[in-house]
Amino acid sequence: MTALTIHDRIALQDLVHRYAEAIDERDIPRAAALFTGDGVLELPNPPAALDPVVSHTGIDAVTAALLAVAAVPVTFHAIVGAVFDPGPTAATAVGRVTCTAHHLTRRHGKDVDLVWHIIYRDLYRSTSAGWLFARRRLHVAFIESRSVAAMRAPGPTR
């Protein structure tokens, strides 16, 4: 194992934040492009299964899986912690990223925030394009439901 440089750590931090931004901005192609060509996205099926139960391999499959977020009017992902370590092979790293993911939607005539407290278990690969996700496993620690006083219309904030 090779130690991660400060440049690696900054690039990995940037990668996980760009993924959250792309999801919140509904730029699914940009989010999927953060995976290697053979990248894997493993997802749970809340509330029945909070640990990954389905696997999506390759950019097309990752893109199709991420399109499900379009059904949620507004999301807001806040990265609350990230730890990166050298990976099992050269040019890889592993990470544990914690995130609070707000899913704002309308239920029974009221705005509701379903808050997922997420732990991502990631494998990253250094490529000619920079660090990318080789595998991203999404685990939900717990889910809260909160009322919402106001919600802006969906769409980019640029």
Side-chain angles (χ1 to χ4, degrees):
M1 282 189 235
T2 305
L4 295 174
T5 68
I6 188 67
H7 299 290
D8 292 328
R9 292 179 186 283
I10 291 169
L12 290 166
Q13 192 75 246
D14 188 58
L15 175 67
V16 300
H17 282 277
R18 287 190 183 278
Y19 176 86
E21 178 198 34
I23 295 298
D24 289 343
E25 296 288 339
R26 298 303 189 271
D27 192 341
I28 301 307
R30 185 165 47 107
L34 299 173
F35 286 78
T36 60
D38 62 348
V40 178
L41 176 62
E42 298 178 7
L43 299 173
N45 185 24
L50 299 182
D51 290 313
V53 294
V54 65
S55 184
H56 307 275
T57 303
I59 298 295
D60 290 342
V62 168
T63 300
L66 292 177
L67 284 172
V69 79
V72 180
V74 176
T75 58
F76 187 88
H77 289 75
I79 307 297
V80 296
V83 177
F84 307 108
D85 290 303
T89 61
T92 64
V94 294
R96 180 185 188 273
V97 177
T98 53
C99 171
T100 302
H102 298 266
H103 302 81
L104 287 85
T105 190
R106 192 135 183 95
R107 288 196 173 170
H108 310 293
K110 295 184 179 187
D111 293 330
V112 176
D113 180 9
L114 294 177
V115 185
W116 292 12
H117 296 269
I118 294 173
I119 302 166
Y120 289 107
R121 294 288 185 173
D122 295 331
L123 174 65
Y124 314 101
R125 187 177 308 141
S126 181
T127 72
S128 60
W131 285 98
L132 297 173
F133 295 105
R135 184 188 66 240
R136 179 152 248 217
R137 289 184 177 145
L138 191 161
H139 301 263
V140 178
F142 62 98
I143 299 171
E144 295 178 82
S145 180
R146 303 176 183 174
S147 62
V148 176
M151 180 169 64
R152 70 183 270 298
T157 56
R158 296 179 199 255

